[in-house]
Amino acid sequence: MEKSSKKTCSIVGCDNDSKRAFATTRIAESVASTGLKVKDMRSRKIYLCQDHWKKVKKVFKKDTKAERMRWGH
Ligand SMILES: [Zn+2]
């Protein structure tokens, strides 16, 4: 058997390799508001492929705007 450390995207119907991983508690709401469904909500982490991260990112950025701190200026 081949040992693989690669994770698969957690979105239902998607078998792409994941690009990003997030704590489920942190990203689940953002994923839900894009209309996507996660295969296993009980999993502690949600893995997203490039495509799905792009979609979720738009919502996720908005959600986290308040907690983002910029020290540059
Ligand atoms: Zn995906």
Side-chain angles (χ1 to χ4, degrees):
M1 242 196 262
E2 195 183 347
K3 194 186 170 190
S4 173
S5 60
K6 273 192 180 168
K7 295 287 182 183
T8 306
C9 182
S10 300
I11 302 303
V12 170
C14 183
D15 289 319
N16 293 332
D17 290 342
S18 75
K19 287 280 176 194
R20 307 284 299 252
F22 299 89
T24 301
T25 50
R26 197 166 158 70
I27 196 91
E29 264 187 49
S30 302
V31 172
S33 55
T34 59
L36 298 169
K37 284 196 174 146
V38 177
K39 289 171 192 164
D40 185 5
M41 281 301 292
R42 288 166 305 171
S43 170
R44 296 188 68 172
K45 288 211 167 177
I46 289 178
Y47 298 92
L48 296 173
C49 66
Q50 184 94 62
D51 284 355
H52 283 128
W53 166 236
K54 262 191 218 167
K55 286 180 188 162
V56 173
K57 184 164 67 173
K58 290 174 191 168
V59 185
F60 188 59
K61 280 264 169 80
K62 265 186 239 160
D63 286 353
T64 55
K65 214 170 202 174
E67 75 182 54
R68 264 194 309 162
M69 293 241 207
R70 302 216 119 200
W71 297 94
H73 178 66

Coordinates of all heavy atoms in Angstrom, one line a residue:
M1 N 0.8 -1.2 0.0 CA 0.0 0.0 0.0 C 0.9 1.3 0.0 O 1.9 1.3 0.7 CB -0.9 0.0 1.2 CG -2.4 0.0 0.9 SD -3.4 0.5 2.3 CE -3.8 -1.1 2.9
E2 N 0.4 2.2 -0.7 CA 1.2 3.4 -0.8 C 0.8 4.4 0.3 O -0.4 4.7 0.5 CB 1.0 4.1 -2.2 CG 2.0 5.1 -2.5 CD 1.7 5.8 -3.8 OE1 0.9 5.3 -4.6 OE2 2.4 6.8 -4.1
K3 N 1.8 4.9 1.0 CA 1.5 5.8 2.0 C 1.5 7.2 1.4 O 2.4 7.6 0.8 CB 2.5 5.7 3.1 CG 2.1 6.5 4.4 CD 3.3 6.5 5.4 CE 3.0 7.4 6.5 NZ 4.1 7.6 7.4
S4 N 0.4 7.9 1.7 CA 0.3 9.2 1.2 C -0.1 10.3 2.2 O -1.0 10.0 3.0 CB -0.8 9.3 0.0 OG -1.0 10.6 -0.4
S5 N 0.6 11.4 2.2 CA 0.3 12.4 3.2 C -0.7 13.4 2.6 O -1.1 14.4 3.3 CB 1.6 13.1 3.7 OG 2.2 13.7 2.6
K6 N -1.0 13.2 1.4 CA -1.9 14.1 0.7 C -3.3 14.0 1.2 O -3.8 13.0 1.4 CB -1.9 13.9 -0.8 CG -0.8 14.6 -1.5 CD -0.9 14.6 -3.0 CE 0.2 15.3 -3.7 NZ 0.2 15.1 -5.1
K7 N -3.9 15.2 1.4 CA -5.3 15.2 1.9 C -6.1 15.6 0.7 O -5.7 16.3 -0.2 CB -5.4 16.3 3.0 CG -4.7 16.0 4.2 CD -5.3 14.8 5.0 CE -4.6 14.6 6.3 NZ -5.2 13.4 7.0
T8 N -7.4 15.1 0.8 CA -8.3 15.4 -0.2 C -9.3 16.5 0.2 O -9.5 16.6 1.4 CB -9.1 14.1 -0.6 OG1 -8.2 13.1 -0.9 CG2 -10.0 14.3 -1.8
C9 N -9.7 17.3 -0.7 CA -10.6 18.4 -0.4 C -11.8 17.8 0.4 O -12.4 16.8 0.1 CB -11.1 19.0 -1.7 SG -12.2 20.3 -1.5
S10 N -12.3 18.6 1.4 CA -13.4 18.1 2.3 C -14.7 18.4 1.7 O -15.7 18.1 2.4 CB -13.2 18.8 3.6 OG -12.0 18.5 4.2
I11 N -14.8 19.1 0.6 CA -16.1 19.4 0.0 C -16.8 18.2 -0.7 O -16.1 17.5 -1.4 CB -16.0 20.6 -1.0 CG1 -15.4 21.8 -0.3 CG2 -17.3 21.0 -1.6 CD1 -16.1 22.3 0.9
V12 N -18.0 18.1 -0.4 CA -18.8 17.0 -1.0 C -18.7 17.0 -2.5 O -18.9 18.0 -3.2 CB -20.3 17.1 -0.6 CG1 -21.1 16.1 -1.4 CG2 -20.5 16.8 0.9
G13 N -18.3 15.8 -3.1 CA -18.3 15.7 -4.6 C -16.9 16.1 -5.1 O -16.8 16.1 -6.3
C14 N -16.0 16.5 -4.3 CA -14.7 17.0 -4.8 C -13.6 16.0 -4.3 O -13.5 15.7 -3.1 CB -14.4 18.4 -4.3 SG -12.9 19.1 -4.9
D15 N -12.8 15.6 -5.2 CA -11.7 14.7 -4.8 C -10.3 15.3 -5.2 O -9.3 14.6 -5.3 CB -11.8 13.4 -5.6 CG -13.0 12.6 -5.0 OD1 -13.2 12.6 -3.8 OD2 -13.7 12.0 -5.8
N16 N -10.3 16.6 -5.3 CA -9.0 17.3 -5.6 C -8.1 17.3 -4.4 O -8.5 17.2 -3.2 CB -9.2 18.7 -6.0 CG -9.9 18.8 -7.4 OD1 -9.8 17.9 -8.2 ND2 -10.7 19.8 -7.6
D17 N -6.8 17.4 -4.6 CA -5.9 17.5 -3.5 C -6.1 18.8 -2.8 O -6.4 19.9 -3.4 CB -4.4 17.5 -4.0 CG -4.0 16.2 -4.5 OD1 -4.7 15.2 -4.2 OD2 -3.0 16.1 -5.3
S18 N -6.0 18.8 -1.5 CA -6.2 20.0 -0.7 C -5.0 21.0 -0.8 O -3.9 20.5 -0.9 CB -6.5 19.7 0.7 OG -5.4 19.4 1.4
K19 N -5.3 22.2 -0.8 CA -4.3 23.3 -0.8 C -4.2 23.9 0.6 O -3.1 24.3 1.0 CB -4.6 24.3 -1.8 CG -4.4 23.9 -3.3 CD -3.0 24.0 -3.7 CE -2.8 23.5 -5.1 NZ -1.4 23.2 -5.4
R20 N -5.3 24.0 1.2 CA -5.3 24.7 2.5 C -6.1 23.8 3.5 O -7.0 23.1 3.2 CB -6.0 26.0 2.4 CG -5.4 26.9 1.3 CD -4.1 27.5 1.8 NE -4.3 28.4 2.9 CZ -4.2 29.7 2.9 NH1 -4.0 30.3 1.8 NH2 -4.4 30.4 4.0
A21 N -5.7 24.0 4.8 CA -6.5 23.3 5.9 C -6.8 24.3 6.9 O -6.0 25.2 7.2 CB -5.6 22.2 6.4
F22 N -8.0 24.2 7.5 CA -8.5 25.1 8.5 C -9.1 24.3 9.6 O -9.7 23.3 9.4 CB -9.5 26.1 7.9 CG -8.9 26.9 6.8 CD1 -9.0 26.5 5.5 CD2 -8.3 28.2 7.1 CE1 -8.5 27.3 4.5 CE2 -7.8 28.9 6.1 CZ -7.9 28.5 4.8
A23 N -9.1 24.9 10.8 CA -9.9 24.3 11.9 C -11.4 24.4 11.5 O -11.8 25.4 11.0 CB -9.7 25.0 13.2
T24 N -12.1 23.3 11.7 CA -13.5 23.3 11.3 C -14.3 24.4 11.9 O -15.1 25.1 11.3 CB -14.1 21.9 11.6 OG1 -13.4 20.9 11.0 CG2 -15.6 21.9 11.2
T25 N -14.0 24.7 13.2 CA -14.8 25.7 13.9 C -14.6 27.1 13.3 O -15.4 28.0 13.4 CB -14.3 25.8 15.4 OG1 -12.9 25.9 15.4 CG2 -14.7 24.6 16.1
R26 N -13.4 27.3 12.6 CA -13.1 28.6 12.1 C -13.6 28.8 10.7 O -14.0 29.9 10.3 CB -11.5 28.6 12.0 CG -11.0 30.0 11.9 CD -9.5 30.0 12.2 NE -8.9 31.2 11.6 CZ -9.1 32.4 12.0 NH1 -9.8 32.7 13.0 NH2 -8.5 33.4 11.3
I27 N -13.7 27.7 9.9 CA -14.0 27.9 8.5 C -15.4 27.4 8.1 O -16.0 27.7 7.1 CB -13.0 27.2 7.6 CG1 -13.0 27.6 6.1 CG2 -13.1 25.7 7.7 CD1 -12.2 28.8 5.8
A28 N -16.0 26.6 9.0 CA -17.3 25.9 8.6 C -18.4 26.9 8.2 O -19.1 26.7 7.2 CB -17.8 25.1 9.8
E29 N -18.5 28.0 8.9 CA -19.5 29.0 8.6 C -19.3 29.6 7.2 O -20.2 29.8 6.5 CB -19.5 30.1 9.6 CG -20.6 29.9 10.7 CD -20.7 31.1 11.7 OE1 -20.8 32.2 11.2 OE2 -20.6 30.8 12.9
S30 N -18.1 29.9 6.9 CA -17.7 30.5 5.7 C -18.1 29.5 4.5 O -18.6 29.9 3.5 CB -16.3 30.8 5.6 OG -15.9 31.7 6.6
V31 N -17.7 28.3 4.8 CA -18.0 27.2 3.8 C -19.5 27.1 3.5 O -20.0 27.1 2.4 CB -17.4 25.9 4.2 CG1 -17.9 24.7 3.3 CG2 -15.9 25.9 4.2
A32 N -20.2 27.1 4.6 CA -21.7 27.0 4.5 C -22.3 28.2 3.8 O -23.2 28.0 3.0 CB -22.3 26.9 5.9
S33 N -21.8 29.4 4.0 CA -22.4 30.5 3.3 C -22.0 30.6 1.8 O -22.6 31.4 1.1 CB -22.0 31.8 4.1 OG -20.6 31.9 4.2
T34 N -21.1 29.8 1.4 CA -20.9 29.7 -0.1 C -21.8 28.7 -0.7 O -21.8 28.5 -1.9 CB -19.4 29.3 -0.4 OG1 -19.1 28.1 0.2 CG2 -18.4 30.4 0.1
G35 N -22.5 27.9 0.2 CA -23.4 26.9 -0.4 C -22.8 25.6 -0.5 O -23.4 24.6 -1.0
L36 N -21.5 25.5 -0.1 CA -20.8 24.2 -0.2 C -21.1 23.3 1.0 O -21.4 23.8 2.0 CB -19.3 24.4 -0.4 CG -18.9 25.2 -1.6 CD1 -17.4 25.6 -1.5 CD2 -19.1 24.4 -2.9
K37 N -20.9 22.0 0.8 CA -21.1 21.1 1.9 C -19.9 20.3 2.2 O -19.1 19.9 1.3 CB -22.3 20.1 1.6 CG -23.6 20.8 1.7 CD -24.7 19.8 1.7 CE -26.1 20.6 2.0 NZ -27.2 19.9 1.4
V38 N -19.6 20.2 3.5 CA -18.5 19.4 3.9 C -18.8 18.0 4.1 O -19.9 17.6 4.6 CB -17.9 20.1 5.2 CG1 -16.7 19.3 5.7 CG2 -17.5 21.5 5.0
K39 N -17.9 17.1 3.7 CA -18.1 15.7 3.8 C -18.3 15.2 5.2 O -19.2 14.5 5.6 CB -17.0 14.9 3.2 CG -16.9 15.0 1.7 CD -15.6 14.4 1.2 CE -15.3 14.7 -0.3 NZ -13.9 14.5 -0.7
D40 N -17.4 15.7 6.1 CA -17.5 15.3 7.5 C -17.3 16.5 8.4 O -16.2 16.9 8.7 CB -16.4 14.3 7.7 CG -16.5 13.7 9.1 OD1 -17.4 14.0 9.8 OD2 -15.6 12.9 9.5
M41 N -18.5 16.9 8.9 CA -18.5 18.1 9.8 C -17.8 17.8 11.2 O -17.5 18.7 11.9 CB -19.9 18.6 10.0 CG -20.4 19.4 8.8 SD -19.4 20.9 8.5 CE -19.7 21.9 9.9
R42 N -17.7 16.5 11.5 CA -17.2 16.1 12.8 C -15.7 16.1 12.7 O -15.0 16.1 13.8 CB -17.7 14.8 13.2 CG -19.2 14.8 13.6 CD -19.7 13.4 13.7 NE -19.5 12.7 12.4 CZ -19.7 11.4 12.2 NH1 -20.1 10.7 13.2 NH2 -19.5 10.9 11.1
S43 N -15.1 16.2 11.5 CA -13.7 16.3 11.4 C -13.2 17.6 12.0 O -13.8 18.6 11.9 CB -13.3 16.2 9.9 OG -12.0 16.5 9.8
R44 N -12.0 17.5 12.6 CA -11.5 18.7 13.3 C -11.0 19.7 12.3 O -10.8 20.9 12.6 CB -10.4 18.3 14.3 CG -11.0 17.5 15.4 CD -9.9 17.2 16.4 NE -9.7 18.5 17.1 CZ -8.9 18.6 18.2 NH1 -8.3 17.5 18.7 NH2 -8.7 19.7 18.8
K45 N -10.7 19.2 11.1 CA -10.1 20.1 10.1 C -10.9 20.0 8.8 O -11.4 18.9 8.5 CB -8.6 19.8 9.8 CG -7.8 20.2 11.0 CD -6.4 20.6 10.5 CE -5.6 21.3 11.5 NZ -4.3 21.7 11.1
I46 N -10.9 21.1 8.1 CA -11.6 21.1 6.8 C -10.5 21.4 5.8 O -9.7 22.4 5.9 CB -12.7 22.2 6.7 CG1 -13.9 21.7 7.5 CG2 -13.1 22.4 5.2 CD1 -15.0 22.7 7.5
Y47 N -10.4 20.6 4.8 CA -9.4 20.8 3.7 C -10.0 21.3 2.5 O -11.1 20.8 2.1 CB -8.7 19.4 3.4 CG -8.0 18.9 4.6 CD1 -8.6 18.0 5.5 CD2 -6.7 19.2 4.9 CE1 -8.0 17.5 6.6 CE2 -6.0 18.7 6.0 CZ -6.7 17.9 6.9 OH -6.0 17.4 8.0
L48 N -9.4 22.3 1.9 CA -9.9 22.8 0.7 C -8.9 22.8 -0.5 O -7.8 23.1 -0.3 CB -10.3 24.3 0.9 CG -11.4 24.5 1.9 CD1 -11.6 26.0 2.2 CD2 -12.7 24.0 1.5
C49 N -9.4 22.4 -1.7 CA -8.6 22.4 -2.9 C -8.5 23.9 -3.3 O -9.2 24.8 -2.8 CB -9.2 21.5 -3.9 SG -10.8 22.1 -4.6
Q50 N -7.7 24.1 -4.3 CA -7.5 25.4 -4.9 C -8.8 26.1 -5.3 O -9.1 27.2 -4.9 CB -6.6 25.3 -6.1 CG -6.3 26.6 -6.7 CD -4.9 27.1 -6.2 OE1 -3.9 26.5 -6.4 NE2 -4.9 28.2 -5.6
D51 N -9.6 25.4 -6.0 CA -10.9 25.9 -6.5 C -11.8 26.3 -5.3 O -12.4 27.4 -5.3 CB -11.6 24.9 -7.4 CG -11.0 24.8 -8.7 OD1 -10.0 25.6 -9.0 OD2 -11.4 24.0 -9.5
H52 N -12.0 25.4 -4.4 CA -12.9 25.7 -3.3 C -12.4 26.7 -2.4 O -13.1 27.5 -1.8 CB -13.3 24.4 -2.6 CG -14.3 23.5 -3.4 ND1 -14.1 22.2 -3.7 CD2 -15.4 23.9 -4.0 CE1 -15.1 21.8 -4.4 NE2 -15.9 22.8 -4.6
W53 N -11.1 26.7 -2.2 CA -10.5 27.8 -1.3 C -10.8 29.2 -1.9 O -11.1 30.1 -1.2 CB -9.0 27.5 -1.2 CG -8.3 28.7 -0.6 CD1 -7.2 29.4 -1.2 CD2 -8.6 29.4 0.6 NE1 -6.8 30.4 -0.4 CE2 -7.6 30.5 0.7 CE3 -9.5 29.3 1.6 CZ2 -7.6 31.4 1.8 CZ3 -9.5 30.2 2.7 CH2 -8.6 31.2 2.7
K54 N -10.7 29.2 -3.3 CA -10.9 30.5 -3.9 C -12.3 31.0 -3.6 O -12.6 32.2 -3.4 CB -10.8 30.3 -5.5 CG -9.4 30.8 -6.0 CD -9.5 30.9 -7.5 CE -8.2 30.4 -8.1 NZ -8.3 30.1 -9.5
K55 N -13.3 30.1 -3.7 CA -14.7 30.5 -3.4 C -14.9 30.8 -1.9 O -15.5 31.9 -1.6 CB -15.6 29.3 -3.7 CG -15.8 29.1 -5.2 CD -16.7 28.0 -5.5 CE -16.7 27.7 -7.0 NZ -17.2 26.4 -7.4
V56 N -14.4 30.0 -1.0 CA -14.5 30.2 0.4 C -13.8 31.5 0.9 O -14.2 32.2 1.7 CB -14.1 29.0 1.2 CG1 -14.1 29.3 2.7 CG2 -15.0 27.8 0.8
K57 N -12.7 31.7 0.2 CA -11.8 32.8 0.6 C -12.6 34.2 0.6 O -12.4 35.0 1.5 CB -10.6 32.9 -0.3 CG -9.6 34.0 0.0 CD -8.3 33.7 -0.7 CE -8.4 33.9 -2.2 NZ -7.1 33.9 -2.9
K58 N -13.4 34.3 -0.4 CA -14.1 35.6 -0.5 C -15.0 35.9 0.7 O -15.1 37.0 1.1 CB -15.0 35.6 -1.8 CG -14.2 35.6 -3.1 CD -15.1 35.4 -4.3 CE -14.2 35.2 -5.5 NZ -15.0 34.7 -6.6
V59 N -15.7 34.8 1.1 CA -16.5 35.0 2.3 C -15.7 35.0 3.6 O -16.0 35.8 4.5 CB -17.5 33.8 2.3 CG1 -18.5 34.0 3.5 CG2 -18.2 33.6 1.0
F60 N -14.7 34.2 3.6 CA -13.9 34.1 4.8 C -13.2 35.4 5.1 O -13.1 35.8 6.2 CB -12.8 32.9 4.5 CG -12.0 32.6 5.7 CD1 -12.6 32.1 6.9 CD2 -10.6 32.7 5.7 CE1 -11.9 31.8 8.0 CE2 -9.9 32.3 6.8 CZ -10.5 31.9 8.0
K61 N -12.7 36.0 4.1 CA -12.0 37.3 4.3 C -12.9 38.3 4.9 O -12.5 39.1 5.8 CB -11.5 37.9 2.9 CG -10.2 37.2 2.5 CD -9.0 38.0 2.8 CE -7.7 37.3 2.6 NZ -7.2 37.3 1.3
K62 N -14.2 38.3 4.5 CA -15.2 39.3 5.0 C -15.4 39.0 6.5 O -15.5 39.8 7.3 CB -16.5 39.1 4.2 CG -16.6 40.1 3.1 CD -18.0 40.0 2.5 CE -17.9 39.7 1.0 NZ -19.1 39.2 0.5
D63 N -15.6 37.7 6.8 CA -15.8 37.2 8.1 C -14.7 37.6 9.1 O -15.0 37.9 10.2 CB -16.0 35.7 8.2 CG -17.3 35.2 7.6 OD1 -18.1 36.1 7.3 OD2 -17.5 34.1 7.4
T64 N -13.5 37.6 8.6 CA -12.4 37.8 9.5 C -11.8 39.2 9.5 O -10.8 39.5 10.1 CB -11.2 36.8 9.2 OG1 -10.9 37.0 7.8 CG2 -11.6 35.4 9.4
K65 N -12.5 40.1 8.7 CA -12.0 41.4 8.5 C -11.8 42.1 9.9 O -10.8 42.8 10.1 CB -13.0 42.2 7.7 CG -12.3 43.3 6.8 CD -13.3 43.9 5.9 CE -12.6 44.5 4.7 NZ -13.6 44.9 3.7
A66 N -12.7 42.0 10.8 CA -12.7 42.6 12.1 C -11.5 42.2 12.9 O -11.0 43.0 13.7 CB -14.0 42.4 12.8
E67 N -11.1 40.9 12.7 CA -10.0 40.5 13.6 C -8.7 40.6 12.9 O -7.7 40.3 13.6 CB -10.3 39.0 14.0 CG -10.1 38.0 13.0 CD -10.4 36.6 13.5 OE1 -11.6 36.4 14.0 OE2 -9.6 35.7 13.4
R68 N -8.7 41.0 11.7 CA -7.4 41.2 11.0 C -6.8 42.5 11.5 O -7.4 43.6 11.4 CB -7.5 41.2 9.5 CG -7.3 39.9 8.9 CD -7.1 40.0 7.4 NE -8.2 40.8 6.8 CZ -8.1 41.3 5.6 NH1 -7.0 41.3 4.9 NH2 -9.1 42.0 5.1
M69 N -5.6 42.4 11.9 CA -4.9 43.7 12.4 C -3.8 44.0 11.5 O -3.0 43.1 11.1 CB -4.4 43.4 13.8 CG -5.5 43.2 14.8 SD -5.3 44.5 16.1 CE -6.1 43.8 17.5
R70 N -3.7 45.2 11.1 CA -2.6 45.7 10.3 C -1.7 46.6 11.1 O -2.2 47.6 11.6 CB -3.1 46.3 9.0 CG -4.0 45.4 8.2 CD -3.8 45.6 6.8 NE -3.3 44.4 6.2 CZ -2.7 44.3 5.0 NH1 -2.4 45.4 4.3 NH2 -2.3 43.2 4.5
W71 N -0.5 46.2 11.1 CA 0.5 47.1 11.9 C 1.3 48.0 11.1 O 2.1 48.7 11.5 CB 1.4 46.2 12.7 CG 0.6 45.3 13.7 CD1 0.1 44.1 13.5 CD2 0.2 45.7 15.0 NE1 -0.5 43.6 14.7 CE2 -0.5 44.6 15.6 CE3 0.4 46.9 15.8 CZ2 -1.0 44.7 16.9 CZ3 -0.2 46.9 17.1 CH2 -0.9 45.8 17.6
G72 N 1.1 47.8 9.7 CA 1.9 48.6 8.8 C 1.7 50.1 8.9 O 2.6 50.9 8.8
H73 N 0.5 50.4 9.2 CA 0.2 51.9 9.3 C -0.9 52.1 10.3 O -2.0 51.6 10.2 CB -0.3 52.4 7.9 CG -0.6 53.8 7.9 ND1 0.3 54.8 8.1 CD2 -1.8 54.4 7.7 CE1 -0.3 56.0 8.1 NE2 -1.6 55.8 7.8
Ligands
ZN1 ZN -12.5 21.0 -3.7

